[in-house]
Amino acid sequence: MVNPSKITEGDIEYSIGRFNGFEMFYDFPKILVYLEAKGKLLFGKHFKIFDEDKDIIYKLSNYFIQDKDKCEKAGLDPEKGILFSGPVGCGKTSLMKLLKFIVPLQRPYSVVPCRNIVFAFNHLGYKIIEDYGNGSFFCFDDLGVEPMGRHYGQDCNVMGEILLSRYELFLKSKLKTHTTTNLNAEELEERYGSRVRSRMREMFNLIAFDESARDKRK
């Protein structure tokens, strides 16, 4: 039987809680130890978990482990995806790349920069919207700062179209989409229009860093 409380990285085994054979009991301080170790493996030795980010990580962890009681207290719906917002450099992308590793038995998502999707659209056209508006599991990174798409002289708000397609999948099959953004709600509406913005309210839980969160890349 697979024990979800133990995660092995190289030759080191990390415990993130206790598994009694039927139910998993997570231990948040142990999750933090594992995330910092995994972060160093993924991003380099300079990576660290900052004390001021622990509340956000706690909220995200409860969402990913699907702790319904703690999600309810935090105003999170486990059936929806995550819209993770905050200033440039505060660590949104790194955390979204990291958190999926605490639930190795769950279906993983791919983190894809929105600008890369638009560049692919410019080259390949509407097939790209179909590719990302399908049943795969994605986290769209840096939503709202990608350029407008242009294929054979036709402009297209590529990510807006993809979000509309993902909304249909969310309604039909509860397929989750995650995204990170530096923009606030008004800026997102200005970028994608009120129709997409209202769909985003239905699809996403908003988790936000404080506007004063520091740039960890400096």
Side-chain angles (χ1 to χ4, degrees), residues 89-218:
C90 64
K92 302 180 297 295
T93 304
S94 298
L95 288 177
M96 288 306 286
K97 286 180 176 177
L98 259 184
L99 262 295
K100 62 183 178 179
F101 289 103
I102 66 172
V103 282
L105 303 184
Q106 286 185 23
R107 181 183 175 192
Y109 52 84
S110 304
V111 179
V112 188
C114 293
R115 61 186 291 111
N116 291 11
I117 296 173
V118 174
F119 293 152
F121 171 86
N122 294 346
H123 181 56
L124 298 170
Y126 287 86
K127 177 184 181 299
I128 292 300
I129 292 175
E130 291 173 21
D131 288 348
Y132 286 100
N134 66 14
S136 298
F137 198 4
F138 295 110
C139 173
F140 298 124
D141 191 34
D142 257 351
L143 183 73
V145 296
E146 76 281 356
M148 183 67 75
R150 191 171 180 83
H151 184 67
Y152 282 115
Q154 284 202 311
D155 288 341
C156 178
N157 191 328
V158 176
M159 291 309 304
E161 292 298 325
I162 288 172
L163 288 170
L164 290 174
S165 297
R166 303 289 299 180
Y167 173 73
E168 295 301 323
L169 289 168
F170 171 71
L171 290 184
K172 284 179 192 168
S173 59
K174 287 294 179 189
L175 181 74
K176 292 178 191 172
T177 304
H178 303 314
T179 187
T180 72
T181 185
N182 304 330
L183 306 187
N184 60 33
E186 292 75 26
E187 290 167 327
L188 286 168
E189 185 162 331
E190 190 177 317
R191 183 76 172 76
Y192 299 107
S194 57
R195 181 168 168 240
V196 172
R197 177 68 189 122
S198 95
R199 303 290 191 274
M200 289 174 74
R201 283 193 195 95
E202 290 183 59
M203 289 167 66
F204 294 120
N205 295 288
L206 175 62
I207 294 182
F209 273 103
D210 192 271
E211 288 178 15
S212 62
R214 62 174 147 150
D215 187 340
K216 273 79 169 193
R217 295 182 295 200
K218 289 182 178 175

